[in-house]
Amino acid sequence: MAHYKAEQDDWLLVYLKYLLFVFNFFFWVGGAAVMAVGVWTLVEKSGYLSVLASSTFAASAYILIFAGALVMVTGFLGFCAIVREDRSCLSTYFCLLLVIFLVELVAGVLAHMYYQRLSDELKQHLTRTLAENYRQPGAADITTSVDRLQQDFKCCGSNSSADWQHSAYILSQEAEGRRVPDSCCKTVVARCGQRAHPSNIYKVEGGCVSKLEQFLADHLLLMGAVGIGVACLQPGMNHMVTLFPRKDEGKCLGAWGTT
């Protein structure tokens, strides 16, 4: 009877080991996905960050990158711990899972909260940015962001091309008679902004605010969903870690170099 129970315990341990291994693999892949979303957001879309009033959007992306990297390192620790069936490694793994859960939850909540107040911020800040900062001394980053925004989204002005009538740049001699910046033009050539006809410039209903709002909303929801989604995998993994029998009390990090 004791022999049968020992065999049953061994079978359950093997089953638990492989189940935790599979969960850890998906957890590691999820971490790579989280980090990829954060990196992609900053690298590909960083050109729009200068026109935002706060750094919450960028902060959410940085948190996701940090969390994704931590997930991948933790996943590697998990693989080592599972192969060695080392309870001390698994305990460290468990603590790191809790930290990652909190980090990803914070990123998801930040993204969701920022999404709620995104529209008001854009409407107030982008209009003021176009009027006061475009092509002004010390605002090269904002100028580049606005030009890229108008070309990428095929729009002109915050709410409409008429917003540029109040711009310090358009009212200055530097504009050389332009009614809108050249980046509003469907085909950008020198001084094309002097002719503000719909056949020449983008006259999109809602202007750049509606386009940028939709873009940021989609990305914030994606960041929040990815962060919270990966975090939701972790309670099940935490429970499986606690089921592992105490087999080895050696130092976890020292065990990495041995087989």
Side-chain angles (χ1 to χ4, degrees):
M1 186 69 180
H3 177 71
Y4 172 76
K5 188 177 186 306
E7 288 185 346
Q8 187 179 39
D9 289 343
D10 288 343
W11 182 85
L12 287 174
L13 181 60
V14 170
Y15 174 78
L16 180 61
K17 176 179 177 180
Y18 283 104
L19 185 61
L20 187 56
F21 192 91
V22 170
F23 262 82
N24 190 69
F25 172 76
F26 284 111
F27 178 63
W28 189 90
V29 171
V34 167
M35 188 166 66
V37 169
V39 170
W40 175 71
T41 299
L42 288 180
V43 172
E44 292 294 323
K45 311 304 175 184
S46 60
Y48 309 134
L49 298 181
S50 296
V51 300
L52 301 179
S54 74
S55 59
T56 310
F57 182 73
S60 296
Y62 280 119
I63 291 174
L64 283 184
I65 293 173
F66 171 75
L70 189 59
V71 165
M72 296 181 74
V73 172
T74 303
F76 178 68
L77 171 63
F79 285 128
C80 295
I82 294 166
V83 169
R84 292 179 55 83
E85 300 178 13
D86 190 329
R87 181 62 182 267
S88 62
C89 280
L90 287 169
S91 297
T92 304
Y93 180 56
F94 174 79
C95 293
L96 288 174
L97 286 180
L98 291 178
V99 173
I100 293 167
F101 176 82
L102 294 175
V103 169
E104 289 175 344
L105 202 58
V106 167
V109 170
L110 274 178
H112 180 73
M113 289 175 60
Y114 188 52
Y115 169 72
Q116 298 299 317
R117 59 187 179 88
L118 179 63
S119 180
D120 291 338
E121 177 183 308
L122 284 178
K123 289 175 182 176
Q124 296 174 10
H125 186 71
L126 186 57
T127 301
R128 187 170 65 250
T129 296
L130 299 186
E132 299 176 2
N133 302 114
Y134 185 80
R135 292 277 183 180
Q136 299 305 300
D141 289 343
I142 290 178
T143 299
T144 301
S145 294
V146 171
D147 285 338
R148 181 179 174 184
L149 175 68
Q150 295 191 138
Q151 278 295 295
D152 286 358
F153 291 139
K154 297 178 171 49
C155 60
C156 183
S158 178
N159 298 290
S160 71
S161 58
D163 292 334
W164 285 109
Q165 295 176 8
H166 310 290
S167 168
Y169 166 67
I170 296 300
L171 295 175
S172 69
Q173 292 183 349
E174 184 186 352
E176 299 179 329
R178 290 178 177 86
R179 298 175 63 186
V180 294
D182 292 343
S183 58
C184 281
C185 299
K186 295 178 180 178
T187 302
V188 178
V189 295
R191 298 187 182 87
C192 63
Q194 292 175 343
R195 180 170 172 265
H197 191 273
S199 63
N200 183 50
I201 68 170
Y202 295 114
K203 291 212 171 188
V204 181
E205 184 177 352
C208 293
V209 164
S210 60
K211 294 290 190 76
L212 184 58
E213 181 181 354
Q214 186 59 50
F215 163 80
L216 291 176
D218 291 344
H219 280 72
L220 286 168
L221 289 175
L222 175 63
M223 287 192 288
V226 169
I228 294 175
V230 172
C232 287
L233 289 175
Q234 292 163 216
M237 297 180 65
N238 294 345
H239 179 64
M240 284 191 288
V241 167
T242 61
L243 295 177
F244 245 83
R246 188 174 300 276
K247 180 177 180 180
D248 189 345
E249 293 299 329
K251 290 185 178 180
C252 180
L253 295 178
W256 283 25
T258 61
T259 58

